[in-house]
Amino acid sequence: MKKLVLAFLLFFTPTSVLAFSDTAKSSIVMDIDSGRILYQKNANEKRLIASITKIMTATLALESGKLKEQVTAGEEVLKMYGTSIYIQKGETMSLQDLVYGLMLRSGNDAAVVIANCLAGTEENFVKEMNQKAKEIGMKNTIFENSHGLDEETQNYSTAKDMALLNRYAYKNLKKYREISGTYKHIVKTEDKTYLWYNRNKLLNSYEYCTGGKNGYTPSAGKTLVTTAEKDGLRITTVTLADNNEYENHKNLDEMVFDQYSLYQIIDKDNFSISSDQLKGTAYIKESFSYPLTEEEADNTKVIAQMDPTIQTGKIGNISIQLYNKEIKRIPIYLKEKKKKSFFKFF
């Protein structure tokens, strides 16, 4: 990440643009930290999402606080088919290891065991999935199962909604970042030993990939959600109905990394006001970084707006504007003046 001195106009080094053909029917690239959409194509069209459904299942499991609990598989595993970890009825495994199997091997059996463990029934778990989707802001998503198989029940979402979900999980859950970015995981139960490799091919073939989840059914086609990071810029990429998903993700990521750079526009630890009256007493509580292209950088302003009559607390704002439209507002505060004690004065 590049740092900039606070100024009214910011100037950057030119970058080139990579041209390619996006092979997905729906796609999006979103900045994880700011939530800014850096690229999109039909990003709000509803589509079947297949096994990237399991990102929500994993999120609820990781937020349950029960990762160390031992879970015994029940009758639910006998009905599962497709990609599985092949846990047997009566076999016991920790909830955390079930999430590894869910994310690395796309275990449909792991999904239903997790659902029953956390909510009693998959029906109840699906209600929790949809409630969480609303909380995250996924406006065009409906879950009907925990795994993504779509012969009997179907899960619909959009590229944008799935980016919002993955951004939420990646930003807020350290264990999610760890699991989705794991290439190999070994599990030992009383019955057998499991060796799982991540089905996300980019994790071992693209240097900037940090994690993700793939999916496929004949009805949904190939779906893929990944994360990548370069020079401090963290992005999540989603493609739906894409026959060339891995190459497409790499191309989308490279295009974004080529066009955008992450700049620290405001640094709270190095903030100062060039005013004798406020020098050393004005401060802010947060820093701000943002991905910008060269053209955008030439049209970015940082403006301080303050009320000098206020003696303490909030005295104004920093307005960060792109093309004269505010993209961020940061409050400016004034430190309270410490009163000298009688003894120190004396």
Side-chain angles (χ1 to χ4, degrees), residues 31 44 69 77 94 106 131 147 152 161 174 186 192 222-224 244 247 250 259 261 299 302 325 329-330 333 341:
D31 175 40
N44 291 305
E69 288 191 12
V77 298
S94 73
S106 200
Q131 179 59 39
H147 40 75
E152 296 180 7
D161 277 6
K174 181 180 178 181
I186 299 173
K192 51 191 170 182
K222 296 177 180 178
T223 61
L224 183 62
N244 192 30
E247 188 66 24
K250 182 179 178 180
Q259 290 186 37
S261 291
N299 290 277
V302 180
K325 181 179 180 181
R329 177 173 288 240
I330 300 176
Y333 300 93
S341 69

Side-chain angles (χ1 to χ4, degrees), residues 42-56:
N42 303 325
N44 291 305
E45 289 187 1
K46 287 186 179 181
R47 299 186 184 278
L48 291 168
I49 56 174
S51 281
I52 59 176
T53 293
K54 296 181 175 84
I55 296 173
M56 177 60 86

Side-chain angles (χ1 to χ4, degrees), residues 71-73 77 84-89 91-93 98 109-110 113 192 194:
V71 182
T72 302
V77 298
S84 302
I85 61 172
Y86 302 106
I87 188 171
Q88 298 174 346
K89 177 186 173 183
E91 188 174 1
T92 299
M93 185 180 293
L98 283 168
D109 48 358
V113 172
K192 51 191 170 182
Y194 297 85

